[in-house]
Amino acid sequence: MALKLDSKIPSGPIEQKWDKAKFEMKLVNPANKRKFTVIVVGSGLAGGSAAASLGELGYNVLCFCFQDTPRRAHSIAAQGGINAAKNYQNDGDSIYRLFYDTVKGGDFRAREANVYRLAQVSVDIIDQCVAQGVPFAREYGGVLANRSFGGAQVSRTFYARGQTGQQLLLGCYQALERQVDAGKVKMFYRHELLDVVIIDGRARGIVTRDLATGAVESYAADAVVLATGGYGNVFYLSTNAKGSNATAIWRAYKKGAAFGNPCFTQIHPTCIPQSGDYQSKLTLMSESLRNDGRIWVPKQKSDSRGANAIPEGERDYYLERRYPAFGNLCPRDIASRAAKVVCDEGYGVGPGGRGVYLDFSDSIQRLGRHTIEERYGNLFEIYERITGDDPYSTPMRIYPAVHYTMGGLWVDYNLQSTIPGLFVLGEANFSDHGANRLGASALMQGLADGYFVIPYTMGNYLAGVKPGGVDENHSEFRAVKEKVSGQTRQLLSIRGRKTVDDFHRELGKVMWEYCGMGRNEAGLKHALERIPEIREEFWKNVNVPGSEGELNQSLERAGRVADFLELGELMCRDALIREESCGGHFREEYQTEDGEAKRDDEKFCHAAVWEYAGADKEPIRNIEPLNFEYVHLVQRSYK
Amino acid sequence: MKIILNIWRQKDVKSAGKMVRYEVPTVNEHMSFLEMIDVLNEDLTRKGEDPVAFEHDCREGICGCCGFMINGIPHGPERGTTVCQLHMRHFQDGDELWLEPFRAKAFPVLKDLMVDRSAFDRIIAAGGYVSVNTGSAPDGNALPIMKQCAEMAMDAAACIGCGACVASCPNASASLFVSAKISHLALLPQGQAERDRRAMRMVVKMTEEGFGYCTNTGECEAVCPKGVKIENIARMHRDYIKSAFTYREESTAGGAG
Ligand SMILES: Cc1cc2nc3c(=O)[nH]c(=O)nc-3n(C[C@H](O)[C@H](O)[C@H](O)COP(=O)(O)OP(=O)(O)OC[C@H]3O[C@@H](n4cnc5c(N)ncnc54)[C@H](O)[C@@H]3O)c2cc1C
Ligand code: SF4
Ligand code: FES
């Protein structure tokens, strides 16, 4: 059965769509708000801002996170900054330009109306965060400072040293704790969502496991919000936190929420290269470094000289050479692929030839060490701590790594999934970034969704339903709880010979090799054979020690990896069918003469929307056609 | 290289714990400390033993999840470094180390090296914020803020809530953590309206949660991975004393007509 996808894009000119939608939305009477309970899963920028704002409006909010406190959500790790179309620099920025840059940067695979709204509310986000006391960087005159970021020619990124995500999240966490104090939000930390509960076709609650005690619990509500972050950890090695997972969205998918563009993943160009097999994660070096760092490789293959011994004339600043207009600031997908190309050709540096230089010597000479220290001091420190090398005196070595997932649960203009009452925010939804996200735009999107979109669209939904009517004793809650506990018992009963991480690493290698920076038909077909084999072995041979009713980190990981083993397959399937290259999805068969991504707008100007069909059935691929009325479809060029 | 680890093993909140000795023979100097424990845990799992529970998430020194004592020092011997960012190149072949959870009355041990730090959330909930609802903010540049103030506020706001300061303090005081938040907001104009209330409520909450008083031993500053300065505690004390004179709980007399 094909899904009926209604994107609910309001009619009218793009500048007026959101105002019109807000005006037409139904409102909940203030006295009735406290009769509604909303579950928010996730306390990152998207979930935290949603929970705080919904609490302020008067709804009863139950907020969940798997860490020991909401302040640890992975948004905390974002370094570089957050975009907003403030045009404080008077350099030609505007809402329209941010909209345009985002649509183009996403290689025309996002919904225009959503992106426009994102650009519109971006300005309110900065105001809100400043009012909360977020210590953004300032100029001497006391006004807010900006920097530029990849994929943009204007300076619109706001930042707080190299800890922008941390400071934005703390602002949002403090707003959340204020609502906890006011009794409007109840916070459940160390609680992992294991399933959503659908009753009469509506999302009515969730089943969780208390990670400290192992208790499986049910929570009923009038609506459920998932803001559980991205699924980059399907690759095992990524810049995501160790606990970042796909469990919430994957289990919702299996309950009927369609999944949009699963294969759209972003590989970030500037990460610290892997150092050994024991590697547990990869560390990002903020893209803001590309403002003042120059990327190069030796002109000679397998050059074994140290970076500083290679004379200027023997260095290939390949981004500046290939993309003179944007140079080191070209979009992420392009910079990542270019690094892979030079390394594949044998010009890479460092162990295994998997690295390129990011060199600050010119800017240190031009601006002085002090300025560089002020801008990037903490990043340089991170680098030195991890590698033991000093980037002030030798260039950094960097290599691309999995960083962000543009794909996610499909949502309409109101951020509602295909399950009524189930809303999805932040990186967890298939979002506004199309096939490639611009730097500093994820923080913007998370906060736009949570502070400025969901408060309206949630009200509109709740105004159309009666509060309550279902509680945790409903037979469906009991059935879901039983199913969840069954899976846990099964995982614990296998007692095989391989660890959870053995399987995760194996899956990661397949994904990186065949569904990473470059993809092709043969590779993807191979992956589609391999992944089910790994999955089958997992369910026969994994060793999950310990028991159910206790704090058990192996069990937590096992459940997450079980989901990655299914999601990975869907990603490869999606990548195989999309016979074009766009943004981060690079199909080697479809490229221009000079190696750039070649879209096929005739056949693929749409979002792929996958529908779960049952355990042993092939999922169904639906499409949401994309219309570009404002930004005209052109081949992206950053030359 | 080979590292010998004596690790505190405790089944759950109620059980008693004890030190257990392990050897990790295949440590590489580029590994992080937590990656070394990963290797140990993989090994224990293969042998059918229970792996060591420890808290971690970002492994980039920013989320504040990780933290335990290494030879009596929270986060281990490197200054300004969380344990997830501590690399094995700082240790030598044959080193013997003792790993224990953070110890404080307000931080009950959950399992092995993991403790419950939720008391920190409750302190923030008592007043560590600016009361401004979504949507009511003026333009971001309407309020110029001296660059230096913003920088100082940022220094205090850099706290990651790891709890190392508490673990290092002979009084198990949370003063560095609490004062970091009080200072962050006290240094900015946005924080002025609630400055007294914040100081009063957060300090009172800290005591209620079972943290001790500050006697200026300075251990906290030495172990703080984010370089939060003890001068913040002085600011907290000033604000707290001042608030005792000026702050009154809200009147409940209604004003509505
Ligand atoms: C290293 C790094 C640097 C970055 N830098 C930037 C930057 O400079 N600018 C920018 O714009 N973007 C940046 N990004 C991207 C951006 O940080 C993220 O996309 C964004 O913060 C995601 O926010 P979120 O709220 O959607 O999810 P998260 O912050 O990941 O929050 C997810 C929440 O969901 C909870 N959760 C997850 N699964 C479950 C479950 N099963 N049960 C219960 N709870 C669950 C978690 O506990 C957490 O609270 C960066 C990302 C990384 C990894
Ligand atoms: S003040 Fe320092 S030691 Fe204390 S919680 Fe904050 S970061 Fe950790
Ligand atoms: S794991 Fe996040 S700070 Fe160490």
Side-chain angles (χ1 to χ4, degrees), chain A residues 53 56 67 72 88 127 130 133 142 161 173-174 190 242-243 280-281 385-386 499 502 551 553, chain B residues 35 42 46 54-55 57-60 63 89 111 121 134 139-141 145 151 155 181 184 190:
Chain A
S53 303
E56 287 163 9
Q67 292 94 343
R72 311 222 197 275
Y88 283 158
D127 300 341
V130 168
R161 294 207 186 128
Y173 156 74
Q174 287 162 203
R190 291 193 205 276
K242 289 298 284 177
S280 59
K281 73 156 288 172
R385 210 169 283 137
I386 294 175
T499 65
D502 287 338
L551 195 161
Q553 293 177 314
Chain B
E35 283 169 345
E42 291 279 289
R46 285 199 183 88
F54 65 96
E55 199 110 50
D57 200 23
C58 74
R59 298 204 176 189
E60 291 186 10
C63 75
R89 65 180 74 88
K111 184 175 182 178
D121 287 338
T134 304
D139 184 82
N141 262 349
I145 296 176
E151 296 292 329
D155 288 341
K181 187 47 61 195
H184 158 210
Q190 296 93 314

Side-chain angles (χ1 to χ4, degrees), chain A residues 141-422:
Chain A
V143 295
L144 291 156
N146 289 119
R147 56 167 59 139
S148 37
F149 240 62
Q153 283 169 314
V154 293
S155 201
R156 62 160 76 100
T157 305
F158 294 79
Y159 62 100
R161 294 207 186 128
Q163 289 123 277
T164 316
Q166 179 197 28
Q167 293 311 315
L168 295 173
L169 185 64
L170 292 181
C172 169
Y173 156 74
Q174 287 162 203
L176 180 67
E177 291 298 338
R178 173 173 162 245
Q179 293 309 306
V180 170
D181 191 49
K184 292 312 296 177
V185 176
K186 202 160 180 296
M187 188 68 219
F188 297 85
Y189 48 87
R190 291 193 205 276
H191 274 65
E192 177 150 69
L193 178 147
L194 292 183
D195 216 340
V196 288
V197 178
I198 317 289
I199 296 171
D200 298 332
R202 282 174 53 202
R204 293 309 304 266
I206 61 172
V207 169
T208 62
R209 181 168 178 274
D210 179 335
L211 302 181
T213 65
V216 176
E217 297 158 359
S218 298
Y219 297 91
D222 297 294
V224 176
V225 175
L226 299 183
T228 49
Y231 53 87
N233 273 351
V234 67
F235 291 85
Y236 186 68
L237 286 181
S238 83
T239 63
N240 288 7
K242 289 298 284 177
S244 298
N245 67 87
T247 292
I249 58 171
W250 189 250
R251 298 197 183 177
Y253 164 73
K254 288 168 85 171
K255 279 284 166 70
F259 206 119
N261 299 328
C263 81
F264 285 175
T265 38
Q266 178 166 81
I267 317 269
H268 195 289
T270 54
C271 302
I272 301 180
Q274 183 175 354
S275 72
D277 292 335
Y278 50 80
Q279 189 98 19
S280 59
K281 73 156 288 172
L282 295 169
T283 302
L284 175 88
M285 286 285 99
S286 168
E287 166 168 54
S288 60
L289 293 169
R290 288 201 274 146
N291 270 313
D292 290 305
R294 298 179 69 196
I295 294 178
W296 61 275
V297 290
K299 281 188 178 160
Q300 188 184 314
K301 281 188 189 175
S302 322
D303 197 327
S304 60
R305 291 174 291 177
N308 291 332
I310 300 174
E312 188 62 28
E314 293 175 37
R315 301 175 174 191
D316 178 15
Y317 296 90
Y318 58 89
L319 287 179
E320 296 168 29
R321 174 170 56 79
R322 285 176 60 182
Y323 308 100
F326 279 70
N328 294 298
L329 285 176
C330 64
R332 292 179 173 173
D333 53 333
I334 291 180
S336 292
R337 221 149 38 229
K340 178 175 189 290
V341 169
V342 291
C343 293
D344 285 349
E345 287 169 351
Y347 298 99
V349 297
R354 290 278 142 198
V356 300
Y357 289 124
L358 177 61
D359 194 338
F360 291 88
S361 50
D362 280 358
S363 26
I364 291 176
Q365 232 165 38
R366 184 164 41 93
L367 303 164
R369 185 183 157 121
H370 179 74
T371 308
I372 295 300
E373 211 171 303
E374 200 178 71
R375 286 186 191 163
Y376 312 109
N378 75 314
L379 297 171
F380 279 35
E381 255 173 64
I382 296 180
Y383 184 85
E384 182 166 7
R385 210 169 283 137
I386 294 175
T387 62
D389 290 339
D390 168 25
Y392 291 102
S393 56
T394 35
M396 288 184 177
R397 266 192 315 110
I398 53 160
Y399 197 66
V402 173
H403 177 56
Y404 182 87
T405 48
M406 282 76 71
L409 292 184
W410 182 89
V411 287
D412 63 17
Y413 188 73
N414 296 332
L415 304 182
Q416 184 168 240
S417 71
T418 51
I419 299 175
L422 184 74

Side-chain angles (χ1 to χ4, degrees), chain B residues 6 8 35 41 65-66 84 111 116 136 173 245 247 252 254-255:
Chain B
N6 299 282
W8 182 261
E35 283 169 345
N41 276 344
C65 275
C66 67
C84 61
K111 184 175 182 178
D116 178 358
S136 54
S173 171
F245 294 105
Y247 175 65
T252 47

